[in-house]
Amino acid sequence: MFSFHNITANNGWAMAAVGASIVFSGLVILSFAISQIHKLLALWDERAQYFGQSKKQGLEEETKGPGAPAYSPPHIPPVDELARIYRPLAKQLKEPFDLIQLFEKTKEMDIPHPHLSIKRLREAGYLLPQQQDLFIWNKQKDN
Amino acid sequence: MFDLLIHFLQNTGYYLADYRHYIMLVVGFSFLYLGTSKNYEPLLLVPIGFGILVGNIPFFKGFGIGIYENNSVLHYLYFGVTTGVYPSIVFLGLGAMTDFSSLLSQPKLMLLGAAAQMGIYFTLLSALFLGFLPREAASIAIIGGADGPTSIFLTAKLAPHLIGPIAIAAYSYMALIPVIQPPIMRLLTSRKERLIKMPPSREVSKKELIIFPVVGVLLCCYLAPTALPLLGLLFLGNFLKECGVVDRLAKTAQSAIIDTATIFLGFTVGCSTQADVFLTPKALGIFFLGAVAFSIATASGVIFAKIMNLFLKEKINPLLGAAGVSAVPGSAREVHLMGLKEDPTNFLLMHGMACNSSGVIGSAICAGILWSFFM
């Protein structure tokens, strides 16, 4: 009653092999397909952006009068205000720190225009350069 | 008057019951106990357990009372099982409740869902070896997918006389995941492997979530059209949830519809375990093979994860392989708990859910494939 002959007689080996192969290949194909969805969407979005921009540009050129500003700079708060925002972030870092670390902190806090803001803080002397491209917060400026 | 009383007493369940009914009552009480006291899959075990009690009340045959008698109320309710309607409706609700974002963020975990289906084919061979007919063997094998509705669906198509034992075996093993899976996981993995941390999931956009059910239904159902009643509704439910414009339908699918189907599915499956039909040597064989199927499925998922690690730079925690069976969310939870036991900061639940949801898709494809072999 218990016999490998039962398997052979009922085409069991073939059913198992074919069935397992089909389900495996099916899920491999599906996993590959879903791994590509976000890439295809990114491509599609870029394409839409490109066409959208050129259409927008065309429209803007048509509606703008001569001499209208082509670019409006981002609004950056005064440097004192920037120092007030960035001081607690810098305090969280071990001195001397890399500006990239400070930049990461601003990203975490979703603070706008970090590149320009850090540049202004450097120019205003709030961020003092040390060795090997590292910086410290100028505490004298806080007083 | 006395004769009338005697006649009445001879028609009562107390008079007609034999030892088999009492065995089944014990089984029914066990299900209710596990569901209510131990909280093991209560949504399934409670209606099934109560159904077992109802189905094993002896009665005089021929009066249209029992589930196997034409024109009885239970027979009409059972129609949803024998035609595969309830499992399909359950899949609709399941789709509307499932969040595939973890799977979309790490598609390679889908391979673990595929690997765990190997238990199905191993059990197919084992059942044939033990002398079951091919259609019966295929129905028993699908227990390895650890998916109750899929098991019922395929059995209804291939071996309707085995629905009772197969459904009970499938749901029992799903409920016993906390007992069956951990020893296998521990046996097949080292502590170092269990400590592997998975990277955080990528953020998945809404567009991806909307496109996935469309891609899924097309790819899977073109491959195995016989899985359409299950996967078609699973992906429809998911599309309703993700598209965001039919929230009312999605909410109904994930609450009232799936709940109604679960009640009738569980209850009628329980009722179908009438002692004279259920307690047969075949049923014992089915329970034995079901345990084998479930264990092999778990083991093959874990082993495949270890094989994948040989080729991957970023290793995956092999415990996740055990979540490749489609018992949602039980096996993912078990994997998560075992990960936490080794390292309280190792959270594997979302990754486990990715494997789990691919297991659901995989076992439905397997059901379709097995059905198509006998067409």
Side-chain angles (χ1 to χ4, degrees), chain B residues 1-2 16 23 34 42 60 63 83 86 89 110 162-163 175 189 194 201 237 248 286 295-296 314 343 347 353:
Chain B
M1 196 178 87
F2 188 69
L16 294 169
I23 292 173
L34 289 173
F60 232 85
F63 289 95
T83 52
Y86 294 151
I89 296 175
M110 188 169 250
L162 295 182
I163 283 181
T189 54
R194 293 197 289 271
S201 300
R248 265 175 52 197
I286 289 167
S295 307
I296 297 282
E314 201 172 41
D343 174 4
F347 300 103
M353 284 303 292

Side-chain angles (χ1 to χ4, degrees), chain B residues 336-364:
Chain B
H336 176 68
L337 290 176
M338 182 157 278
L340 282 182
K341 250 186 213 168
E342 298 293 342
D343 174 4
T345 62
N346 197 2
F347 300 103
L348 297 171
L349 187 64
M350 290 318 289
H351 302 91
M353 284 303 292
C355 303
N356 243 184
S357 41
S358 72
V360 173
I361 298 169
S363 62

Side-chain angles (χ1 to χ4, degrees), chain B residues 6 28 30 92 110 126 146 150 196 232 271 275 301 316 344 360:
Chain B
I6 294 290
S30 316
L92 173 74
M110 188 169 250
S126 307
T150 305
I196 294 175
C271 288
I316 51 176
V360 173

Side-chain angles (χ1 to χ4, degrees), chain B residues 206 209-211 213 236-247 249-250:
Chain B
K206 190 74 188 162
L209 289 168
I210 293 172
I211 291 171
L236 167 66
N238 192 248
F239 191 78
L240 295 178
K241 172 180 177 273
E242 300 298 352
C243 72
V245 290
V246 283
D247 282 348
L249 301 188

Side-chain angles (χ1 to χ4, degrees), chain A residues 1-4 6-7 10 12-13 15-16 18-20 22-24 26-28 30-31 33-35 37-38 41 45, chain B residues 104 107 110-111 114-115 118 121 125 128-131 134 202 207-208 211-212 216 219-220 223 304 362 366 369 373-374:
Chain A
M1 190 182 160
F2 300 162
S3 163
F4 284 108
N6 295 338
I7 302 176
N10 291 303
W13 299 113
M15 278 198 290
V18 173
I22 294 173
V23 71
F24 214 89
L27 288 181
V28 166
L30 183 60
S31 72
I34 62 175
S35 70
I37 293 176
H38 72 282
L41 279 174
D45 284 347
Chain B
L104 285 166
M110 188 169 250
L111 300 183
M118 297 307 117
Y121 296 102
L125 297 176
L128 287 172
F129 177 81
L130 290 179
R202 168 178 70 81
K207 278 182 192 168
E208 275 180 84
I211 291 171
F212 172 68
L219 281 179
C220 297
L223 180 72
F304 191 77
C366 283
I369 293 167
F373 284 160
F374 297 100

